[in-house]
Amino acid sequence: MTITSTEALVESQETIRVNALHALNYCPRLYYLEEVEQLYTQDASVFAGRRLHVELEKDEDGDWQQFVLESEKLGLRGKVDALRTRGGQTIPYEHKRGRCYRDSNNKPQAWESDRIQVLAYALLIEAELGIIVPEGRVRYHADNVLVHVPLDDQGRQDVLNCIDKARQLRMSSERPPVATNERLCGRCSLSPVCLPEETRLAQGTTEQVVRLFPEDDERQVIHVTEAGTRIGKSGDQFKITKRDGQVVTLPSRQVSQLVVHSFAQLSTQAIYFCAEQEVGVHFISGGGRYLGSLDTRQGSIQRRIQQYKALTDSEQCLKLAKQLVECRGQSQRKFLMRGQRNADEHREALEQTIAQMQRTLKGVSTAQSTASLLGLEGNLAALYFGALPHLISDNVALGMKFSGRNRRPPKDRFNALLSFGYSMLLKDVMNAILTVGLEPALGFYHQPRTQAPPLALDLMEIFRVPLVDMPVMASVNRNQWDVDEDFNVQRDQVWLSDAGRRKFISLYERRKEEQWKHPVTQYSLTYRRLIELEVRLLEKEWMGEGGLFAQLVVR
Amino acid sequence: MAESKNYYLICYDIRDPKRWRKAYKLLKGYGESIQFSIFRCRLSQRDREQLRWKLEEVLAEEDSLLIAGLCQRCVQRIEACNRPEAWDVDHNLHQIF
């Protein structure tokens, strides 16, 4: 405890980066997400700006100086780009890639955020170098305009006010609302994290989502199933050496996850690299059980504190749990209804189950506690798995039939497929939770009992039917499985064999690449993306911007 | 807007072996080399700018660099008028080893 409190003390006195003031003037929420929640995603313009500086540096002959300055008194620190002496006076320059702001007379002006930034540098130089700085200058490269910004009393006051505001915001636990000016969000690097569009939709302030959340993460998921395979790093590449000595290299930017099944070797260098490049690393046992993931969430404790606050409130938990049970139950029911069309013999049995499920689902909204909700969910699951065998067509091999869900270990081939599928899903949900930076161990519905992370188990519920049940059923009905080759049977315990596992991974990954139109936001996303979106929407639930979570019901 | 990805041909002439190695290693992380000094990378705007920035840090004044963006149509035409192996694409978003 002592350590935490001293760290908090140091934090509060830490100076503010001048860049952060720029962010604050762009959008307070951007500042908050970056400085308090410590989320950084650099977008194209950030890198373009850096390149501009590298190029400028090469062009300049000699009089380019960079200063890293910090002033305790002002509470500011920053790196001054360029300091020039003009007519005996020292003037800070700030280079910007974009265009300048034009006032009503079409005269070039600095944007407010740029103005504050260059003035802050000027103040910093005055304070630390003990000289008088009359003005700062901003050069806009897109329209090649140089704007002079005088450091007058008004300017000084504005910077000081801004520093004050930044300090207050840093101490606050309230995330500022999304910007009212929607055009800011289109150019903001954090929009896929902040999800301004979705918030506006949930609050009813917009009808249409422009879609700032990317539809897919096109990077590959790499599964290593063969024991003895070595995964290393070479330059900016992953190097995968198989047991027979064959080497495959992969560009690291094209990899989003490394999934290690059984005992492949992962070099320390590769692990470091994964952490740096935000590549998820997951471990699945040879038996197909999810073991764990590499957790690289640094900082970002603010979001987790909010999560702890929200999810220790039993009312909030119950509300979310109800949405979740409703979502999964409806999906299960809808899946059975889909199967009804082709199941001639079992139509009556299915109809009964479907009606029964509907009645049970009605009870969900009035459930008084998580315990009663668990009971309802149990009933739903029993009904669902009781009826699921009816969806298997008659020409399926006898070994692929099943008569109900069982696990640990699965007793038949169908259950083995489901179990492995749920492990894979758990892995992907964990990946999303870690990417977003939430705490997987604190959920709202599942109780912490085993080492399985409750929040991940909660979120999994939404995707069980579309990502596992449906493709498994379809593949069984298509007779894609070889009863002997794809499974290892030991007395009454069944696991996937190596060949079966490869087949399943392919099946599952392909399913994830399919698109699903989000019923509320009305845009299509791949399932890969939807999992992450869902985690972000969940986080919004307790940040006062909720209303879109757990709406994904199979139609 | 949400990020879309495009193919880029990245060609370079680098006069110094040390810088060449650095640039080569860097580019290997973003895409695949299809011929000497020619890389093919599928990049989002963000990746492209990141790569350009990193390359700029490596390259010197005397080196040359050409980045050519290819639209969907360009890629189709490349595929249409070349040998099949000249533009080999793997559409899989997963790999199993």
Side-chain angles (χ1 to χ4, degrees), chain A residues 277-425:
Chain A
Q277 303 273 330
E278 290 170 5
V279 176
V281 180
H282 306 281
F283 300 95
I284 308 261
S285 79
R289 201 161 52 85
Y290 169 80
L291 289 177
S293 307
L294 174 66
D295 181 352
T296 55
R297 297 165 301 164
Q298 306 114 344
S300 82
I301 185 65
Q302 281 293 338
R303 340 192 85 191
R304 271 172 279 166
I305 290 176
Q306 295 292 343
Q307 182 191 353
Y308 299 143
K309 272 191 201 149
L311 296 188
T312 40
D313 169 21
S314 56
E315 216 155 287
Q316 172 79 274
C317 286
L318 186 64
K319 190 184 126 231
L320 291 171
K322 277 181 189 171
Q323 285 175 9
L324 198 67
V325 173
E326 175 85 22
C327 175
R328 183 186 177 194
Q330 284 295 0
S331 284
Q332 289 176 328
R333 184 172 155 269
K334 295 275 166 66
F335 181 39
L336 291 182
M337 285 166 81
R338 280 188 180 195
Q340 216 179 355
R341 286 172 230 154
N342 310 321
D344 295 325
E345 280 174 59
H346 310 291
R347 178 156 295 150
E348 213 162 295
L350 275 173
E351 257 168 32
Q352 266 180 13
T353 311
I354 290 164
Q356 183 79 38
M357 283 181 88
Q358 180 70 331
R359 280 195 292 279
T360 318
L361 276 165
K362 283 213 179 99
V364 170
S365 56
T366 54
Q368 293 297 317
S369 67
T370 327
S372 61
L373 213 49
L374 275 167
L376 286 171
E377 198 217 343
N379 289 346
L380 285 168
L383 285 166
Y384 171 71
F385 282 112
L388 205 54
H390 297 322
L391 300 193
I392 299 182
S393 77
D394 297 330
N395 52 11
V396 161
L398 209 58
M400 293 308 299
K401 303 259 174 180
F402 88 125
S403 54
R405 176 87 180 117
N406 53 56
R407 58 209 184 99
R408 281 185 213 180
K411 291 192 177 61
D412 58 46
R413 292 178 176 82
F414 199 98
N415 276 298
L417 291 175
L418 287 180
S419 287
F420 188 61
Y422 294 146
S423 292
M424 301 294 283
L425 180 57

Side-chain angles (χ1 to χ4, degrees), chain B residues 41-79:
Chain B
C41 307
R42 193 164 154 75
L43 305 171
S44 64
Q45 246 191 41
R46 177 194 309 242
D47 287 339
R48 185 194 70 203
E49 288 305 325
Q50 189 186 41
L51 179 59
R52 280 185 67 186
W53 164 57
K54 286 187 172 174
L55 277 171
E56 207 53 58
E57 288 197 317
V58 173
L59 298 186
E61 197 53 54
E62 55 172 348
D63 301 327
S64 48
L65 175 73
L66 177 73
I67 300 180
L70 303 175
C71 65
Q72 263 335 93
R73 195 67 195 96
C74 302
V75 174
Q76 281 168 15
R77 270 184 296 198
I78 289 179
E79 282 167 356

Side-chain angles (χ1 to χ4, degrees), chain A residues 174-192:
Chain A
E174 290 277 306
R175 189 186 290 173
V178 292
T180 40
N181 181 358
E182 296 182 20
R183 287 162 68 189
L184 289 177
C185 301
R187 316 206 60 177
C188 174
S189 58
L190 275 180
S191 62

Side-chain angles (χ1 to χ4, degrees), chain A residues 152-288:
Chain A
D152 48 16
D153 289 343
Q154 181 62 47
R156 281 171 209 275
Q157 199 49 51
D158 286 348
V159 176
L160 294 180
N161 289 348
C162 197
I163 297 172
D164 246 14
K165 200 174 152 204
R167 280 214 182 112
Q168 278 169 17
L169 213 50
R170 196 155 68 177
M171 304 302 285
S172 148
S173 61
E174 290 277 306
R175 189 186 290 173
V178 292
T180 40
N181 181 358
E182 296 182 20
R183 287 162 68 189
L184 289 177
C185 301
R187 316 206 60 177
C188 174
S189 58
L190 275 180
S191 62
V193 171
C194 156
L195 297 181
E197 294 292 319
E198 287 73 4
T199 296
R200 288 189 198 112
L201 188 75
Q203 291 169 344
T205 47
T206 187
E207 294 287 296
Q208 220 185 350
V209 172
V210 185
R211 180 139 125 193
L212 299 171
F213 192 72
E215 67 182 303
D216 194 11
D217 168 12
E218 278 190 41
R219 299 180 299 165
Q220 289 185 330
V221 180
I222 307 297
H223 291 264
V224 180
T225 58
E226 204 178 53
T229 307
R230 294 199 307 274
I231 308 166
K233 173 213 164 217
S234 154
D236 264 8
Q237 290 173 292
F238 286 109
K239 186 171 159 193
I240 297 177
T241 316
K242 292 199 202 165
R243 222 169 13 184
D244 58 13
Q246 198 194 339
V247 178
V248 181
T249 52
L250 302 163
S252 61
R253 318 276 148 178
Q254 318 286 6
V255 177
S256 71
Q257 288 180 33
L258 286 177
V259 188
V260 182
H261 298 257
S262 72
F263 298 106
Q265 307 303 319
L266 189 57
S267 77
T268 309
Q269 287 85 340
I271 296 174
Y272 274 50
F273 192 55
C274 286
E276 263 169 39
Q277 303 273 330
E278 290 170 5
V279 176
V281 180
H282 306 281
F283 300 95
I284 308 261
S285 79

